[in-house]
Amino acid sequence: MASNQKPRDLQWVLDAIETESLNLHNVSFYFSQPSSCCHQETENSININISTDSHQLFSYILIVLGTSKNTQLSLRNLEFHFVEWELEQVQSLGGLLDSNLGIKQVVFRRNRFSTECLSELSEILKRNGGIKEITFSESGIRTVGAGLVASAVKVNDSLEELQIWEDSIGSKGGEELSKMIEANSMLKLLTIFDSSSITATPLISAVLARNRAMEVHVWSGDNGDRISKVVEFVPENSTLRIYRINVSGACRVACALGLNSTVRSLDLTGVRLKSKWAKEFRWALEQNQTLKEVKLSKTCLKDKGIVYVAAGLFKNRILESLYLDGNWFSGVGVEHLLCPLSRFSALQLQANITLKAVTFGGKRTQIGRDGLSAILQMLATNETVTRLGIHDDESMRPDDFVRIFKCLEKNASLRCLSLQGCKAVRGDRVLQAIMETLQINPWIEDIDLARTPLQNSGKADGVYQRLGQNGKTEPETDIQADLLKDMALTEPKSCRVFFCGQEYAGKTTLCNSISQNFSSPKLPYIEQVRTLVNPVGQAVRTTGMKIKTFKDEDTKISVWNLAGQHEFYSLHDLMFPGHGSASFFLIISSLFRKPSNREPKTPEEVEEDLQYWLRFIVSNSKRAVQQCMLPNVTIVLTHFDNINQPSQSFQATVNAIQRLRDKFHGFVEFYPTVFTVDARSSASVSKLTNHIRRTTKTILQRVPQVYQLCNDLIQVLSDWRSENYNKPAMKWKEFSEVCQRKVPVLRIRSRNDNKEKVELRRKAVATCLHQLGEVIYFDELGFLILDCEWFCGEVLGQLVKLEVRRQSSTENGFISRKELEKILRGSLQSQIPGMGSKVFENLDAGDLVRMMMKLELCYEQDPSNPNSLLLIPSILEEGRGRPQKWQLSTSDCIFAGRHLVCDDSSHTFLTPGFFPRLQVHLHNRIMALKNQHGATYTLEKYLISININGIYIRLELGGQLGYYIDVLACSTKNLTETLRLIQQLIIPAIQSLCNGVTLTENVMRPECVRNLTPPRYRKTQFVSLQQLKQALLSIPADGMYDYQHTWDSVSDSGKPVLRAGFDFARDLLSDDDFREVLHRRYHDLYNLAQELQVPPENNPDGTDHSLSTADETERVEPTFGGIAKGVEAVLQRLKIIEQEIRDLKQEIQGLRYYEHRLLIELYRKVNYLVNYNVQVEERKVPNMFYFVRAENYTRRLVTNVISGMTALRLHMLCEFRREMHVVEDQIGCEVMHIDNATVKSLAPYMTKFMKLVTFALKIGAHLATGMGQLIPDLSKEIAHLAESSMMTGAAGAVAAGAVGAVAMGRVDGIRNRGRGGDTQQELRAAQQWIVDFLRDRRCSTGRDIAEKFGLWRVRYRDDGHIAWICRRHMTIRANEIIQVPI
């Protein structure tokens, strides 16, 4: 239908509605028209004009609309213009709305309502459930109407939009609407246009207080002024914008914001605020959990208001952006504003870490000196602010901005700096400062210089260009990638001298005298100085480790005075120099026990003092994987002035020192001169001082070079300490800042540079400084110790002092973390001379505790509990005098022990710091296991007690210098399970801390473990594990299972402590160890069978017992899942053990048969070799010979002959068939020199002779008859078999050699057919050489051979073969032989 259709009368409308010919969506009523008519604008929209005399029709039309079914389905919107409502009409409207729930929008424009009509309309709205939007525009509802509408909307849960335009509802109406807002949560849009702006306050306050997601728009036009917006809140972007509000209203809004969760951004720009509002807003900042952005620009806030805002920032953890530009505060306000964003000591935490952007300034903001100081402090210490704005400032000078940019060199968090309109940003100095800052700090992304003189003059272009360069990605070049490799290397400039010695040795006094020589080469009145020092030296005893530094030209010499008190010994390992570090040692020993009593030490006491420190140095130096040089040691004897004249005792001391030189030759590098000094006299130590100078230069030339950068950084770090109140510790962030500012090579050049690579370079340099002894650096903890003396003497030394103080809260070494931190803080605050509390203020005690845990100086009792107690092993008490007994005492307990001793205990030992670290390390290992089954762990000073599900273990440190550890176990489990726990957990933990010191494992007598026999009686009650295994390998197979090891008796002053006894090997070894022995036997037999060409198919039982096919013992993971079993499993285990015993016996039986078969074949080949050529000189000389060389008081078998060898001895074997052996006390014949001809004759023989040594070793040592006699004889002749990784002990060496020589004569199959002639020729050449050699030595007669080799020539009665045999065989086998003398 066309919209320009002519108007029609109202009857047409009524007829159309009643006949349902219209499908109306929108109906608009207009009153006060000249005539009544209707006008259909569109097919679904109609305007109805009603004249003054047709008001009755209005009600009728509303009724018809309500009864028409078609209209009920289609009608959506109703609009009423200029209607002066009567009660009947309102009721008709109610009927329409009640019957038609499809109506969604109702608009009243310039209507008039009486109170009764508004009340009726309110009731209609209360019961209506369809209307979504209602609008009152210029309808004069005022306060009463607003209240009635509010009461209706309060209970209406369908209305979503309420708009009241140009209606003076006033503050009371606003209050009524605010109550509606508090009750109604469905309203989505509230729009108010009122004559007064105060109407907005209750509305927006209610919305904020109730956290309504309601869009609010409040407009105002006060006193005929132009229309302006008052408040705007848009939930979609969570932004609250307030344009106009009075102070009380602003305070109310601030209160509502406290617990609000819908506003993310608050904008009060241009609203005049006072400190009263700021006080309320402080509370809002402290409580609010959602506000991210606050704009308070141009709000006229003064200092007091800013102080309140700043106070709120201390507790706020959400706000990210704060804009305060254009306000009226001064430097005091700036100082308070930036206080929560700054730190004023290393211990202090930054109060606010969430605020990322802050802007202030303005023409009326007077920053001044106080404000500038606050800005500099914030930039120097803040780590979170990324955007800083100072706008339109006129109070600061160009020099102030220069200082700001200099401070920015150290700031790594700021990304954007805005200086818009700042008048002092001008001149070349400011420009230069900006460029220098950008050169050092690549993290700044933008500097806004808009409206500044620098920008207006065109000089800012260079700044923007540099900012662009800092954002570029620099290409990776080979030079950059290998920067560390290309960095210049140079000789180190610093060296450490370690003063080692017992207490009262005079180390500190000696150090002071050396210091005088370094500071002043010519000191007058030396003797007077000595006299003055004398009483002081006797009265003062230095406690703790001290470090004193001297300068010798351009070389820095640091004297590390290791504390001589025994309580400090456990800390000495931490001070030991690392691999390649420039350092050497002065071992200082006093010739007197104490300076006061002048009682001289015996030579043995001096030797004991020196030997301790020598072993300490050797033991720690083995930590290095590869030593570039031996430790350099100089011996100094002090208090020499008290000796009137050299005595016999002093000469004995000199001899003792010489013995130590010989003993430790090859382990340390001794300076040939022993210095004897009066430590109090500078003149007496002058030669020693010169020696330190010369040795320092020599050491610096010999050690590996360091990066030139390290020498430069030493001075840089020294300057940093001077600038920072002599701080002893440096955070890694601070070190990175120093590198960024001062070291171009270690500088990150752009924001997109490879930061990880630069970080690795910095860590490499820090590690190098650590090795030089300039710093103590721990990567995982993130800081460096710059004052090594403070750390060594005060921090670590404090742990030792805890025992002296006997704190009431410490029990068995445990102390709370807080108390430990308190003690450390107290020590730092009171005991560092001249530094007061500055060190304390710049030190985090928690970092030190974490460092001690990293060093395994302490550990947490319960790692899962943050308040867990800490255990410090160094303050543990000894358990002497306490009764020692096992917690288990049942009859089914088994006892096992292992004795771990230093392999070279004469030169090395387990240093005093070893056992405390083991106590911590082992605890951490056990607690890290997945299946620890409630393990208990208790400690004493030299004892660790562990209980893991029924297995009780004691670890005891023993020996005067701690050179062994005893591991004792008592268990209800079987022996194998118990020993697996020891071998898979305990022993690996011990070995991981030995630092290159080798420990050998020994088996302890079970009776000693059962009775917990004191260590002094256990010294002889153990046997080497390898020796025990070797003993099993040396006996016949059928005797292995029942082999017994015999223990000697022990007595004390004639009173028996332990009686002699024995234990079966199976009760000393685990099943794993026993099977290892069996498998080694199978392996050796298999290899020998291969050489003797014994085919496996000849085995009657058809079983191959070689190592490759032997059943492997099940491997056990290093957990305790297999230990935690129930009673049923224990019973089952007993059956398994019985079966395993039967299995072992069955394996041994098979092994016995296998040996027998090989033995038969072996005897056949022995006879062949001995008699393969009876025509060679008619066997006038023996033909089974070998060579021996004497080395270090032992005899070593020669496995290969080389031209030029000297000082060898030739020996012969007794050749009696099936019983070859080494002849005891055989003199032999010396071979002075091996020439080329000898090598040519003997090389093939020796090569093949030793080729089969490995294969035949064990079979030669295992035979019960015949070859079995080789073991005791050979052990006296040969100490070691060279070049044979498969051999253990000397016993089997020549035995294997003999069998190897036997096997060389094999003539079996194709192999022998191809080489039989060569083999016989080689043997003939060797035997001809022996004939010629003996003839040259005039040893060709039977008498001569009997004299030198103890062999006589005989003939067997049965077969007539010739052999050379010993006297014993001559006697016991007389009926089988006939002597045939030559």
Side-chain angles (χ1 to χ4, degrees), residues 1238-1309:
T1238 303
V1239 172
K1240 185 176 181 181
S1241 300
L1242 297 182
Y1245 170 82
M1246 293 295 293
T1247 301
K1248 295 181 179 181
F1249 178 87
M1250 299 313 301
K1251 174 185 177 183
L1252 300 178
V1253 165
T1254 299
F1255 297 139
L1257 171 61
K1258 300 302 183 300
I1259 184 65
H1262 297 158
L1263 299 180
T1265 59
M1267 291 301 177
Q1269 294 299 322
L1270 289 174
I1271 298 168
D1273 297 337
L1274 193 60
S1275 63
K1276 297 180 180 180
E1277 296 291 334
I1278 310 300
H1280 181 68
L1281 175 62
E1283 303 175 8
S1284 178
S1285 61
M1286 292 294 295
M1287 299 176 202
T1288 54
V1294 173
V1299 178
V1302 170
M1304 286 193 306
R1306 63 185 183 275
V1307 285
D1308 197 351

Side-chain angles (χ1 to χ4, degrees), residues 566 568-576 611-623 902 907-918 941-942 957-965 993-997 999:
H566 285 274
F568 285 91
Y569 280 15
S570 61
L571 306 178
H572 286 166
D573 290 352
L574 305 176
M575 307 302 106
F576 198 86
Q611 183 168 240
Y612 169 84
W613 291 105
L614 287 170
R615 292 173 70 179
F616 167 78
I617 293 169
V618 173
S619 300
N620 274 292
S621 64
K622 287 184 176 292
R623 288 186 296 183
C902 291
H907 298 99
T908 60
F909 68 143
L910 301 173
T911 58
F914 166 79
F915 201 70
R917 290 202 312 276
L918 176 63
K941 195 170 187 67
Y942 300 115
L957 179 67
Q960 185 177 3
L961 292 177
Y963 60 87
Y964 71 81
I965 288 183
L993 295 179
C994 285
N995 298 328
V997 175
L999 297 178

Side-chain angles (χ1 to χ4, degrees), residues 109-123:
R109 298 189 185 278
R110 297 188 180 183
N111 285 224
R112 291 293 179 268
F113 296 94
S114 65
T115 302
E116 293 180 346
C117 291
L118 286 173
S119 178
E120 181 64 25
L121 181 61
S122 174
E123 295 298 325

